Amino acid sequence: SDAYVAVFAAVMLGAMVANVHDLVLTIGFMSLFQIDFDLASIAALLTILGYSLNDTVVIFDRIRENRGKLGVLSRRVINDSINQTLSRTLLTGGTTILTIFVMYVWGGPGIHGFTYALLVGIVVGTYSSIAIASPTDCIWAPSTPDVPGSFSNAHRGIFVTT
């Protein structure tokens, strides 16, 4: 119904904002450090989009599961969902960064642009999955004034529960 469409649009907006954030920061760092922008860099940017989107979907899926248990989408549900997936997200990001760093150090100059973009993008993508996508949902989700902790006062922040 209309509520489902509104929540889905908010989730889609959060994922899009997070992905734009990832690409802008990665391209910005590549420009700042004058890394060659070639075909491998474009492949890295597309890889970053997929990686970040996957991380975001994992968190959003947990939000959906927790919302189903409680029946309402609130700041507390989003905060609890982030906390439940935080170790998985950080461990996955950490092992990926470690692997890409090894590729950067021993991979040779031919893949430095690719691996540099991936290093920056995975760090930024992990951050945005946690701290950009879900709070964007908190801001744009439909409000339910009669439910404590719902989004009628979303401007107070995601980590404040009532």
Side-chain angles (χ1 to χ4, degrees):
S1 74
D2 293 336
Y4 176 78
V5 172
V7 170
F8 180 75
V11 167
M12 186 174 65
L13 180 66
M16 289 185 337
V17 166
N19 276 333
V20 168
H21 171 267
D22 299 344
L23 290 180
V24 168
L25 283 180
T26 302
I27 292 170
F29 272 100
M30 290 179 71
S31 298
L32 183 65
F33 292 105
Q34 298 179 352
I35 304 296
D36 290 338
F37 196 80
D38 54 4
L39 194 57
S41 300
I42 293 172
L45 292 175
L46 292 173
T47 304
I48 292 164
L49 279 177
Y51 186 90
S52 178
L53 192 59
N54 181 55
D55 261 357
T56 303
V57 165
V58 167
I59 294 172
F60 284 170
D61 189 49
R62 184 59 59 97
I63 290 171
R64 182 189 55 81
E65 288 174 7
N66 290 341
R67 188 185 129 265
K69 294 175 191 172
L70 301 175
V72 65
L73 184 61
S74 66
R75 290 186 303 272
R76 182 175 197 95
V77 169
I78 291 176
N79 194 29
D80 289 347
S81 301
I82 291 172
N83 286 332
Q84 290 168 5
T85 58
L86 189 61
S87 63
R88 178 255 178 224
T89 301
L90 293 178
L91 288 173
T92 303
T95 54
T96 306
I97 289 167
L98 182 63
T99 304
I100 295 169
F101 180 73
V102 169
M103 288 173 55
Y104 182 79
V105 171
W106 288 294
I111 62 169
H112 274 182
F114 176 76
T115 54
Y116 179 81
L118 279 178
L119 278 172
V120 171
I122 297 300
V123 170
V124 170
T126 301
Y127 166 76
S128 72
S129 295
I130 296 168
I132 302 289
S134 299
T136 301
D137 286 349
C138 183
I139 292 168
W140 291 103
S143 62
T144 312
D146 57 334
V147 177
S150 74
F151 294 115
S152 59
N153 295 317
H155 62 279
R156 292 186 184 173
I158 186 170
F159 297 108
V160 177
T161 57
T162 56

